[in-house]
Amino acid sequence: MSPAQTIQLLRDELNTHNYNYYVLDNATISDFDFDIKLKELEQLEKENPLLFDANSPTQRVGGTVTRNFKTLVHKNRMYSLDNSYSKEDLLEWEKRVEKVLGSTALEYTCELKFDGASINLTYENGQFVKAVTRGDGFQGDEVTNNIKTIRSIPLSLKSSFVHDFEMRGEIILPLDGFKKMNAERLANGEEEYRNPRNTASGSLKLQDSSEVAKRPLDCLLYQIVTSERKYKTHFESLENARQVGFKVPKSIKLVKSIDQVFDFVNYWDEQRHKLPYETDGIVIKVNDLQQQEELGYTAKAPRWAIAYKFKAAQVTTVLNEITYQVGRTGAITPVANLEPVQLAGTTVKRASLHNADQIEKLDIREKDTVFVEKGGEIIPKITGVDFTKRAIDSKPTKYTHTCPECDTMLVRTVGDAKHYCPNEFGCAPQITGRIQHYISRKAMDIDGLGGETVDLLRKEGLIQNYADLYELTVEQVIPLERMAEKSAQNMINGIEKSKEISFEKVLFALGIRFVGETVAKKLAKHFKSIDNLMAATLVALIDVDEIGDRIAQSIIDFSSDLGNIQLINRLKSYGLQLEVSAEILENQTEVLKGAVFVVSGVFYQMSRNELKKAIEDNGGKVSASISKKTNFIVAGENMGPSKLMKAQDLGIEIISEQDFIDKIS
Ligand code: AMP
Ligand code: ZN
């Protein structure tokens, strides 16, 4: 097979796996095998630059940086939708439609109205060409490179379809992905994103497409725009679009009357809370494309479609009191304590007020009657005040100046929406929060010690910081509530065992603001010890790949604090891993520097992964497929014959597992 053929085969295969997984939700290959094939394709493409294809599956990982997004005029305008709120509204719309068409036997499609950012995808001859945001409907921003990273969007179609067309759809962020992103931000001490919709549309304008690739975005398609008359109806065109690779939601339904539209509305008004993403209504469209054309457009919307907005479940209740919460990083969140009220199946007692600006904007005061809503979102929010019910002697809310926990004056830096309590070492929730983070699963993963116990230990005056954990004794712990000798012993053992946890995890556990898991790994690898890290200058920090000003400054702040210096010295004295272990360092040499290895076959002295790691630890590179650039092939048993031949053709040195071990020792 020629390289061109192999490349084509791999691309087709990977495209099919992507489609099966992201569109049909049916995995047909393991992640591991997918990666291997992708690497193989990458390598082949590198060796055959003439066969480059902007729509190859290898182009989905991102990496391009766009400083200024180009503005492009839409070939076909992107209209908005008229809204309706009741069955009467829909019946009136039907009348208007019938007046134009003079017809009564109408068919409609019912679709969910997805709450995200609309996008216009252009395809020519089965190939993805570009993606443009809606903008003002006439022109938008070209975000092609960012859109390519969304795996559910086909870059080349599976089989023949309309030749030239635009595909319209919505870029959304599914709820569980959104929650995951926020959990990560919290762990890094960053403020959470407000809602999936804004996060999705913000993602489209990120400058670095590899950042977009990391976000769990999805794209649901709902409209084909073309001058070709291949299909008679909207429904048919979408069903076919799904066949050739587009993610067209299965919820689309063909109906024959407004009554049936209403059945659809009622069904989804309840079921929408179970969907994996947010919807704020449904969209009804005249199904026949010829009829759509006859109906045409008003100044801002098609006459052949209408949106029906779900009523956000809303109630009013009394706001009893505004209290303030302090997070692990000292961030203050104002909370509305409400007279308990039933809303969309749950009792609501509290709602976040986010920050001082939000309270001021809505002019929210204690004892006010407020509107509480649960729309497409999961978390109830306060949307306004019923001013007619406000008492005459009511006074504007004075946002707290001091920390509710420790009375320290709050600070608020310019550009920050939140107030902070600066009393890092004396403020109870910050102390507890930091220790809870320290012991958490992704950090020190201490067995036998939970978040509540940490709080209890602090209240009893037994711990003030994470270093204090290492001075605890079984005798001190046993008298605590719900502790028995066994559980106390488990806890002390767990703490003792954490001394073996690797440096990168300890670094993450320290809870330095903005130093999340990945950043901690990077820093550990680069600086090798806490001493090097804490002695590093701002310039040296920024010099590290992917470390920006904000993270660097945060590390400088941490390192120059006397309290932190003392803490670190104590951790050292207890024997925690505050440098990359000698074992790892010892195994890291440069003896293989610059050499490219391919590993093939079955091995006995070490596993395949150990072998690869050993290559990298010693300065070598691992490649998935054989090429001119390969220097060595480590051949185990049962190495594939085609690989063997290729290696011999290219004159690459083939070495055994034992040869390799001799090389590095
Ligand atoms: P609006 O922004 O309220 O004018 O509503 C129009 C927007 O609804 C369009 O720009 C699309 O982004 C979005 N939308 C979501 N789902 C659909 C759908 N199934 N059909 C058409 N538009 C939709
Ligand atoms: Zn405080």
Side-chain angles (χ1 to χ4, degrees), residues 3-53:
Q5 285 168 317
T6 316
I7 285 176
Q8 196 51 48
L9 268 180
L10 279 169
R11 284 179 185 161
D12 289 347
E13 196 183 340
L14 291 170
N15 280 335
T16 304
H17 288 308
N18 261 335
Y19 174 73
N20 290 343
Y21 186 70
Y22 290 101
V23 179
L24 302 184
D25 209 7
N26 173 27
T28 42
I29 187 171
S30 71
D31 289 356
F32 181 76
D33 291 331
F34 186 94
D35 280 348
I36 291 201
K37 288 193 192 286
L38 191 68
K39 290 240 166 67
E40 195 176 338
L41 178 58
E42 246 165 27
Q43 183 64 34
L44 280 171
E45 289 180 348
K46 224 189 265 165
E47 290 161 22
N48 298 279
L50 288 178
L51 298 175
F52 173 81
D53 178 355

CSV table of all heavy atoms in Angstrom, one decimal, residues 3-53:
chain,number,residue,atom,x,y,z
A,3,PRO,N,1.8,5.2,0.8
A,3,PRO,CA,1.5,6.0,2.0
A,3,PRO,C,0.2,6.8,1.8
A,3,PRO,O,-0.6,6.9,2.8
A,3,PRO,CB,2.7,7.0,2.0
A,3,PRO,CG,3.8,6.4,1.2
A,3,PRO,CD,3.2,5.5,0.2
A,4,ALA,N,-0.1,7.2,0.6
A,4,ALA,CA,-1.3,7.9,0.4
A,4,ALA,C,-2.5,7.0,0.7
A,4,ALA,O,-3.5,7.5,1.4
A,4,ALA,CB,-1.4,8.4,-1.1
A,5,GLN,N,-2.4,5.8,0.3
A,5,GLN,CA,-3.5,4.9,0.6
A,5,GLN,C,-3.7,4.6,2.1
A,5,GLN,O,-4.7,4.6,2.7
A,5,GLN,CB,-3.4,3.5,-0.1
A,5,GLN,CG,-3.7,3.6,-1.6
A,5,GLN,CD,-3.2,2.4,-2.3
A,5,GLN,OE1,-2.1,1.9,-2.1
A,5,GLN,NE2,-4.0,1.9,-3.2
A,6,THR,N,-2.5,4.4,2.8
A,6,THR,CA,-2.5,4.1,4.2
A,6,THR,C,-3.1,5.3,4.9
A,6,THR,O,-4.0,5.2,5.8
A,6,THR,CB,-1.1,3.9,4.7
A,6,THR,OG1,-0.4,3.0,3.8
A,6,THR,CG2,-1.1,3.3,6.1
A,7,ILE,N,-2.7,6.5,4.5
A,7,ILE,CA,-3.2,7.7,5.2
A,7,ILE,C,-4.7,7.8,5.0
A,7,ILE,O,-5.4,8.1,6.0
A,7,ILE,CB,-2.5,9.0,4.6
A,7,ILE,CG1,-1.0,9.0,5.2
A,7,ILE,CG2,-3.2,10.2,4.9
A,7,ILE,CD1,-0.2,10.2,4.6
A,8,GLN,N,-5.2,7.6,3.8
A,8,GLN,CA,-6.6,7.7,3.6
A,8,GLN,C,-7.4,6.7,4.4
A,8,GLN,O,-8.4,7.0,5.0
A,8,GLN,CB,-6.9,7.5,2.1
A,8,GLN,CG,-8.3,7.9,1.7
A,8,GLN,CD,-8.6,9.3,2.2
A,8,GLN,OE1,-7.8,10.3,2.0
A,8,GLN,NE2,-9.8,9.5,2.8
A,9,LEU,N,-6.8,5.4,4.5
A,9,LEU,CA,-7.5,4.4,5.3
A,9,LEU,C,-7.6,4.8,6.7
A,9,LEU,O,-8.6,4.7,7.4
A,9,LEU,CB,-6.7,3.1,5.2
A,9,LEU,CG,-7.1,2.1,4.1
A,9,LEU,CD1,-6.2,0.9,4.1
A,9,LEU,CD2,-8.6,1.8,4.2
A,10,LEU,N,-6.5,5.3,7.3
A,10,LEU,CA,-6.5,5.7,8.7
A,10,LEU,C,-7.4,6.9,8.9
A,10,LEU,O,-8.2,6.9,9.9
A,10,LEU,CB,-5.0,6.2,9.1
A,10,LEU,CG,-4.1,5.0,9.4
A,10,LEU,CD1,-2.7,5.5,9.5
A,10,LEU,CD2,-4.5,4.4,10.7
A,11,ARG,N,-7.4,7.8,8.0
A,11,ARG,CA,-8.4,9.0,8.2
A,11,ARG,C,-9.8,8.5,8.2
A,11,ARG,O,-10.6,8.9,9.1
A,11,ARG,CB,-8.2,10.0,7.0
A,11,ARG,CG,-6.9,10.8,7.2
A,11,ARG,CD,-6.8,11.8,6.1
A,11,ARG,NE,-5.5,12.5,6.2
A,11,ARG,CZ,-4.9,13.2,5.2
A,11,ARG,NH1,-5.5,13.2,4.0
A,11,ARG,NH2,-3.8,13.8,5.4
A,12,ASP,N,-10.2,7.6,7.2
A,12,ASP,CA,-11.5,7.1,7.2
A,12,ASP,C,-11.9,6.4,8.5
A,12,ASP,O,-13.0,6.6,9.0
A,12,ASP,CB,-11.7,6.2,6.0
A,12,ASP,CG,-11.7,7.0,4.7
A,12,ASP,OD1,-11.8,8.2,4.7
A,12,ASP,OD2,-11.5,6.3,3.6
A,13,GLU,N,-10.9,5.6,8.9
A,13,GLU,CA,-11.2,4.7,10.1
A,13,GLU,C,-11.4,5.6,11.3
A,13,GLU,O,-12.4,5.5,12.0
A,13,GLU,CB,-10.0,3.8,10.3
A,13,GLU,CG,-10.3,2.7,11.2
A,13,GLU,CD,-9.1,1.8,11.4
A,13,GLU,OE1,-8.2,1.8,10.6
A,13,GLU,OE2,-9.2,1.1,12.5
A,14,LEU,N,-10.5,6.6,11.5
A,14,LEU,CA,-10.6,7.5,12.6
A,14,LEU,C,-11.9,8.3,12.6
A,14,LEU,O,-12.6,8.6,13.6
A,14,LEU,CB,-9.4,8.4,12.7
A,14,LEU,CG,-8.1,7.6,13.1
A,14,LEU,CD1,-6.9,8.5,13.0
A,14,LEU,CD2,-8.2,7.1,14.5
A,15,ASN,N,-12.3,8.8,11.3
A,15,ASN,CA,-13.5,9.6,11.2
A,15,ASN,C,-14.7,8.7,11.6
A,15,ASN,O,-15.6,9.2,12.3
A,15,ASN,CB,-13.7,10.0,9.7
A,15,ASN,CG,-12.9,11.3,9.5
A,15,ASN,OD1,-12.6,12.0,10.4
A,15,ASN,ND2,-12.5,11.4,8.2
A,16,THR,N,-14.7,7.5,11.2
A,16,THR,CA,-15.8,6.6,11.6
A,16,THR,C,-15.9,6.4,13.1
A,16,THR,O,-17.0,6.4,13.7
A,16,THR,CB,-15.7,5.2,10.9
A,16,THR,OG1,-15.6,5.5,9.5
A,16,THR,CG2,-16.9,4.3,11.1
A,17,HIS,N,-14.7,6.2,13.7
A,17,HIS,CA,-14.8,6.0,15.2
A,17,HIS,C,-15.3,7.2,15.8
A,17,HIS,O,-16.0,7.2,16.8
A,17,HIS,CB,-13.4,5.6,15.7
A,17,HIS,CG,-13.0,4.2,15.3
A,17,HIS,ND1,-13.7,3.1,15.6
A,17,HIS,CD2,-11.8,3.8,14.7
A,17,HIS,CE1,-13.1,2.0,15.1
A,17,HIS,NE2,-12.0,2.4,14.6
A,18,ASN,N,-14.8,8.4,15.4
A,18,ASN,CA,-15.3,9.7,15.9
A,18,ASN,C,-16.8,9.8,15.8
A,18,ASN,O,-17.5,10.1,16.7
A,18,ASN,CB,-14.7,10.8,15.2
A,18,ASN,CG,-13.5,11.4,15.9
A,18,ASN,OD1,-13.4,11.3,17.1
A,18,ASN,ND2,-12.7,12.1,15.2
A,19,TYR,N,-17.3,9.4,14.6
A,19,TYR,CA,-18.8,9.5,14.4
A,19,TYR,C,-19.5,8.6,15.3
A,19,TYR,O,-20.5,8.9,16.0
A,19,TYR,CB,-19.1,9.2,12.9
A,19,TYR,CG,-20.5,9.1,12.5
A,19,TYR,CD1,-21.3,10.2,12.4
A,19,TYR,CD2,-21.1,7.8,12.3
A,19,TYR,CE1,-22.6,10.1,12.1
A,19,TYR,CE2,-22.4,7.7,11.9
A,19,TYR,CZ,-23.2,8.9,11.8
A,19,TYR,OH,-24.5,8.8,11.5
A,20,ASN,N,-19.1,7.3,15.4
A,20,ASN,CA,-19.7,6.3,16.2
A,20,ASN,C,-19.8,6.8,17.7
A,20,ASN,O,-20.8,6.7,18.4
A,20,ASN,CB,-19.0,5.0,16.2
A,20,ASN,CG,-19.2,4.3,14.8
A,20,ASN,OD1,-20.1,4.7,14.1
A,20,ASN,ND2,-18.4,3.4,14.5
A,21,TYR,N,-18.7,7.4,18.1
A,21,TYR,CA,-18.6,7.8,19.5
A,21,TYR,C,-19.3,9.1,19.8
A,21,TYR,O,-20.1,9.1,20.7
A,21,TYR,CB,-17.1,7.9,19.9
A,21,TYR,CG,-16.9,8.2,21.4
A,21,TYR,CD1,-17.2,7.2,22.3
A,21,TYR,CD2,-16.5,9.4,21.8
A,21,TYR,CE1,-17.0,7.4,23.7
A,21,TYR,CE2,-16.4,9.6,23.2
A,21,TYR,CZ,-16.6,8.6,24.1
A,21,TYR,OH,-16.5,8.9,25.4
A,22,TYR,N,-19.1,10.1,19.0
A,22,TYR,CA,-19.6,11.4,19.4
A,22,TYR,C,-21.0,11.7,18.8
A,22,TYR,O,-21.7,12.5,19.4
A,22,TYR,CB,-18.6,12.5,18.9
A,22,TYR,CG,-17.4,12.5,19.7
A,22,TYR,CD1,-16.2,12.0,19.2
A,22,TYR,CD2,-17.3,13.1,21.0
A,22,TYR,CE1,-15.0,12.0,19.9
A,22,TYR,CE2,-16.2,13.1,21.7
A,22,TYR,CZ,-15.0,12.5,21.2
A,22,TYR,OH,-13.9,12.5,22.0
A,23,VAL,N,-21.3,11.1,17.7
A,23,VAL,CA,-22.7,11.3,17.2
A,23,VAL,C,-23.6,10.2,17.6
A,23,VAL,O,-24.7,10.4,18.1
A,23,VAL,CB,-22.6,11.5,15.6
A,23,VAL,CG1,-24.0,11.7,15.1
A,23,VAL,CG2,-21.7,12.6,15.3
A,24,LEU,N,-23.2,8.9,17.4
A,24,LEU,CA,-24.1,7.8,17.7
A,24,LEU,C,-24.0,7.4,19.2
A,24,LEU,O,-24.8,6.6,19.7
A,24,LEU,CB,-23.8,6.6,16.8
A,24,LEU,CG,-24.0,6.9,15.3
A,24,LEU,CD1,-23.7,5.6,14.6
A,24,LEU,CD2,-25.3,7.5,15.0
A,25,ASP,N,-23.0,7.9,19.9
A,25,ASP,CA,-22.8,7.6,21.3
A,25,ASP,C,-22.5,6.1,21.5
A,25,ASP,O,-23.0,5.5,22.4
A,25,ASP,CB,-24.1,8.0,22.1
A,25,ASP,CG,-23.8,8.3,23.5
A,25,ASP,OD1,-22.6,8.4,23.8
A,25,ASP,OD2,-24.8,8.5,24.3
A,26,ASN,N,-21.7,5.6,20.6
A,26,ASN,CA,-21.5,4.1,20.6
A,26,ASN,C,-20.0,3.9,20.3
A,26,ASN,O,-19.6,3.9,19.1
A,26,ASN,CB,-22.4,3.5,19.6
A,26,ASN,CG,-22.2,2.0,19.4
A,26,ASN,OD1,-21.7,1.4,20.3
A,26,ASN,ND2,-22.4,1.6,18.2
A,27,ALA,N,-19.2,3.7,21.3
A,27,ALA,CA,-17.8,3.6,21.1
A,27,ALA,C,-17.4,2.3,20.4
A,27,ALA,O,-18.0,1.2,20.7
A,27,ALA,CB,-17.1,3.6,22.5
A,28,THR,N,-16.6,2.4,19.4
A,28,THR,CA,-16.2,1.2,18.6
A,28,THR,C,-14.7,0.9,18.7
A,28,THR,O,-14.2,0.1,17.9
A,28,THR,CB,-16.6,1.3,17.2
A,28,THR,OG1,-16.4,2.6,16.7
A,28,THR,CG2,-18.1,1.0,17.0
A,29,ILE,N,-14.0,1.7,19.5
A,29,ILE,CA,-12.5,1.5,19.7
A,29,ILE,C,-12.2,2.0,21.1
A,29,ILE,O,-12.8,2.9,21.6
A,29,ILE,CB,-11.8,2.2,18.6
A,29,ILE,CG1,-10.3,1.9,18.6
A,29,ILE,CG2,-12.0,3.7,18.7
A,29,ILE,CD1,-9.5,2.4,17.4
A,30,SER,N,-11.1,1.4,21.7
A,30,SER,CA,-10.7,1.9,23.0
A,30,SER,C,-9.9,3.2,22.8
A,30,SER,O,-9.4,3.4,21.7
A,30,SER,CB,-9.8,0.9,23.7
A,30,SER,OG,-8.5,0.8,23.0
A,31,ASP,N,-9.9,4.1,23.8
A,31,ASP,CA,-9.2,5.3,23.7
A,31,ASP,C,-7.7,5.1,23.3
A,31,ASP,O,-7.1,5.8,22.5
A,31,ASP,CB,-9.2,6.1,25.0
A,31,ASP,CG,-10.5,6.6,25.3
A,31,ASP,OD1,-11.4,6.5,24.5
A,31,ASP,OD2,-10.7,7.2,26.5
A,32,PHE,N,-7.2,4.0,23.9
A,32,PHE,CA,-5.8,3.7,23.8
A,32,PHE,C,-5.5,3.4,22.3
A,32,PHE,O,-4.6,3.9,21.7
A,32,PHE,CB,-5.4,2.5,24.6
A,32,PHE,CG,-4.0,2.1,24.6
A,32,PHE,CD1,-3.1,2.9,25.2
A,32,PHE,CD2,-3.6,1.0,23.8
A,32,PHE,CE1,-1.7,2.5,25.1
A,32,PHE,CE2,-2.3,0.6,23.7
A,32,PHE,CZ,-1.3,1.4,24.4
A,33,ASP,N,-6.3,2.5,21.7
A,33,ASP,CA,-6.1,2.1,20.3
A,33,ASP,C,-6.3,3.3,19.4
A,33,ASP,O,-5.7,3.5,18.3
A,33,ASP,CB,-7.0,0.9,19.9
A,33,ASP,CG,-6.5,-0.3,20.6
A,33,ASP,OD1,-5.3,-0.4,20.9
A,33,ASP,OD2,-7.4,-1.2,20.9
A,34,PHE,N,-7.3,4.1,19.7
A,34,PHE,CA,-7.6,5.3,18.9
A,34,PHE,C,-6.3,6.2,18.9
A,34,PHE,O,-5.9,6.6,17.8
A,34,PHE,CB,-8.8,6.1,19.5
A,34,PHE,CG,-9.2,7.3,18.6
A,34,PHE,CD1,-10.2,7.1,17.7
A,34,PHE,CD2,-8.6,8.5,18.8
A,34,PHE,CE1,-10.6,8.2,16.9
A,34,PHE,CE2,-9.0,9.6,18.0
A,34,PHE,CZ,-10.0,9.4,17.0
A,35,ASP,N,-5.7,6.4,20.1
A,35,ASP,CA,-4.5,7.3,20.2
A,35,ASP,C,-3.4,6.7,19.3
A,35,ASP,O,-2.7,7.4,18.7
A,35,ASP,CB,-4.1,7.4,21.6
A,35,ASP,CG,-4.9,8.4,22.3
A,35,ASP,OD1,-5.7,9.2,21.6
A,35,ASP,OD2,-4.8,8.5,23.6
A,36,ILE,N,-3.3,5.4,19.4
A,36,ILE,CA,-2.2,4.8,18.6
A,36,ILE,C,-2.3,5.0,17.1
A,36,ILE,O,-1.4,5.4,16.4
A,36,ILE,CB,-2.1,3.3,18.9
A,36,ILE,CG1,-1.7,3.0,20.3
A,36,ILE,CG2,-1.2,2.6,17.9
A,36,ILE,CD1,-1.1,1.7,20.6
A,37,LYS,N,-3.6,4.9,16.7
A,37,LYS,CA,-3.8,5.1,15.2
A,37,LYS,C,-3.6,6.5,14.9
A,37,LYS,O,-3.1,6.9,13.8
A,37,LYS,CB,-5.2,4.6,14.9
A,37,LYS,CG,-5.4,3.1,14.9
A,37,LYS,CD,-6.7,2.7,14.2
A,37,LYS,CE,-6.9,1.2,14.5
A,37,LYS,NZ,-6.1,0.3,13.7
A,38,LEU,N,-4.1,7.4,15.8
A,38,LEU,CA,-3.9,8.8,15.5
A,38,LEU,C,-2.5,9.2,15.4
A,38,LEU,O,-2.0,10.0,14.5
A,38,LEU,CB,-4.6,9.6,16.6
A,38,LEU,CG,-4.8,11.1,16.4
A,38,LEU,CD1,-5.8,11.4,15.2
A,38,LEU,CD2,-5.3,11.9,17.6
A,39,LYS,N,-1.7,8.7,16.3
A,39,LYS,CA,-0.2,8.9,16.3
A,39,LYS,C,0.4,8.4,15.0
A,39,LYS,O,1.3,9.1,14.4
A,39,LYS,CB,0.5,8.3,17.5
A,39,LYS,CG,0.1,8.9,18.8
A,39,LYS,CD,1.3,9.4,19.6
A,39,LYS,CE,0.9,10.4,20.7
A,39,LYS,NZ,0.2,9.6,21.8
A,40,GLU,N,-0.1,7.3,14.6
A,40,GLU,CA,0.5,6.7,13.4
A,40,GLU,C,0.2,7.6,12.2
A,40,GLU,O,1.0,7.9,11.4
A,40,GLU,CB,-0.2,5.3,13.2
A,40,GLU,CG,0.5,4.4,12.2
A,40,GLU,CD,-0.1,3.1,12.1
A,40,GLU,OE1,-0.8,2.6,13.1
A,40,GLU,OE2,0.1,2.4,11.0
A,41,LEU,N,-1.1,8.1,12.2
A,41,LEU,CA,-1.5,9.0,11.1
A,41,LEU,C,-0.6,10.3,11.2
A,41,LEU,O,-0.1,10.8,10.1
A,41,LEU,CB,-3.0,9.3,11.2
A,41,LEU,CG,-3.5,10.3,10.2
A,41,LEU,CD1,-3.3,9.8,8.8
A,41,LEU,CD2,-5.0,10.5,10.4
A,42,GLU,N,-0.5,10.8,12.4
A,42,GLU,CA,0.3,12.0,12.5
A,42,GLU,C,1.7,11.9,11.9
A,42,GLU,O,2.2,12.7,11.2
A,42,GLU,CB,0.5,12.3,14.0
A,42,GLU,CG,-0.2,13.6,14.5
A,42,GLU,CD,-0.4,13.6,16.0
A,42,GLU,OE1,0.5,12.9,16.7
A,42,GLU,OE2,-1.3,14.2,16.5
A,43,GLN,N,2.3,10.7,12.3
A,43,GLN,CA,3.6,10.4,11.8
A,43,GLN,C,3.7,10.4,10.3
A,43,GLN,O,4.5,11.0,9.7
A,43,GLN,CB,4.1,9.1,12.5
A,43,GLN,CG,5.5,8.8,12.2
A,43,GLN,CD,6.5,9.8,12.7
A,43,GLN,OE1,6.3,10.3,13.8
A,43,GLN,NE2,7.6,10.0,12.0
A,44,LEU,N,2.8,9.6,9.7
A,44,LEU,CA,2.7,9.5,8.3
A,44,LEU,C,2.5,10.8,7.6
A,44,LEU,O,3.1,11.1,6.6
A,44,LEU,CB,1.6,8.5,7.9
A,44,LEU,CG,1.9,7.1,8.0
A,44,LEU,CD1,0.7,6.2,7.8
A,44,LEU,CD2,3.0,6.7,7.0
A,45,GLU,N,1.7,11.7,8.2
A,45,GLU,CA,1.4,13.0,7.6
A,45,GLU,C,2.7,13.8,7.7
A,45,GLU,O,3.0,14.6,6.8
A,45,GLU,CB,0.3,13.7,8.3
A,45,GLU,CG,-1.1,13.0,7.9
A,45,GLU,CD,-2.3,13.7,8.6
A,45,GLU,OE1,-2.1,14.5,9.5
A,45,GLU,OE2,-3.4,13.4,8.2
A,46,LYS,N,3.4,13.7,8.8
A,46,LYS,CA,4.7,14.4,8.9
A,46,LYS,C,5.7,14.0,7.8
A,46,LYS,O,6.4,14.9,7.3
A,46,LYS,CB,5.2,14.2,10.3
A,46,LYS,CG,5.7,15.5,11.0
A,46,LYS,CD,6.5,15.2,12.2
A,46,LYS,CE,5.7,15.3,13.5
A,46,LYS,NZ,6.3,14.6,14.6
A,47,GLU,N,5.7,12.7,7.5
A,47,GLU,CA,6.6,12.2,6.5
A,47,GLU,C,6.2,12.6,5.1
A,47,GLU,O,7.0,12.5,4.2
A,47,GLU,CB,6.8,10.7,6.7
A,47,GLU,CG,7.5,10.3,7.9
A,47,GLU,CD,7.2,8.8,8.2
A,47,GLU,OE1,6.8,8.1,7.3
A,47,GLU,OE2,7.3,8.5,9.4
A,48,ASN,N,4.9,12.8,5.0
A,48,ASN,CA,4.4,13.1,3.6
A,48,ASN,C,3.7,14.4,3.6
A,48,ASN,O,2.4,14.5,3.4
A,48,ASN,CB,3.4,12.0,3.2
A,48,ASN,CG,4.1,10.6,3.1
A,48,ASN,OD1,4.8,10.3,2.2
A,48,ASN,ND2,3.9,9.9,4.2
A,49,PRO,N,4.4,15.5,3.7
A,49,PRO,CA,3.8,16.8,3.8
A,49,PRO,C,2.9,17.2,2.6
A,49,PRO,O,2.0,18.0,2.8
A,49,PRO,CB,5.0,17.8,3.9
A,49,PRO,CG,6.2,17.0,3.5
A,49,PRO,CD,5.9,15.6,3.8
A,50,LEU,N,3.1,16.5,1.5
A,50,LEU,CA,2.3,16.9,0.3
A,50,LEU,C,0.9,16.3,0.5
A,50,LEU,O,-0.1,16.8,-0.2
A,50,LEU,CB,2.9,16.3,-1.0
A,50,LEU,CG,4.2,17.0,-1.4
A,50,LEU,CD1,4.7,16.3,-2.7
A,50,LEU,CD2,3.9,18.5,-1.7
A,51,LEU,N,0.7,15.4,1.4
A,51,LEU,CA,-0.6,14.8,1.6
A,51,LEU,C,-1.4,15.5,2.7
A,51,LEU,O,-2.4,15.0,3.2
A,51,LEU,CB,-0.5,13.3,1.9
A,51,LEU,CG,0.2,12.5,0.7
A,51,LEU,CD1,0.4,11.0,1.2
A,51,LEU,CD2,-0.7,12.5,-0.5
A,52,PHE,N,-0.9,16.7,3.1
A,52,PHE,CA,-1.6,17.4,4.2
A,52,PHE,C,-3.1,17.6,3.8
A,52,PHE,O,-3.4,17.9,2.7
A,52,PHE,CB,-0.9,18.8,4.4
A,52,PHE,CG,-1.6,19.6,5.3
A,52,PHE,CD1,-1.5,19.5,6.7
A,52,PHE,CD2,-2.5,20.6,4.9
A,52,PHE,CE1,-2.2,20.3,7.6
A,52,PHE,CE2,-3.2,21.4,5.8
A,52,PHE,CZ,-3.0,21.2,7.1
A,53,ASP,N,-3.9,17.5,4.8
A,53,ASP,CA,-5.3,17.8,4.6
A,53,ASP,C,-5.8,18.6,5.9
A,53,ASP,O,-5.8,18.0,7.0
A,53,ASP,CB,-6.1,16.5,4.5
A,53,ASP,CG,-7.6,16.8,4.3
A,53,ASP,OD1,-8.0,17.9,4.4
A,53,ASP,OD2,-8.3,15.8,4.1
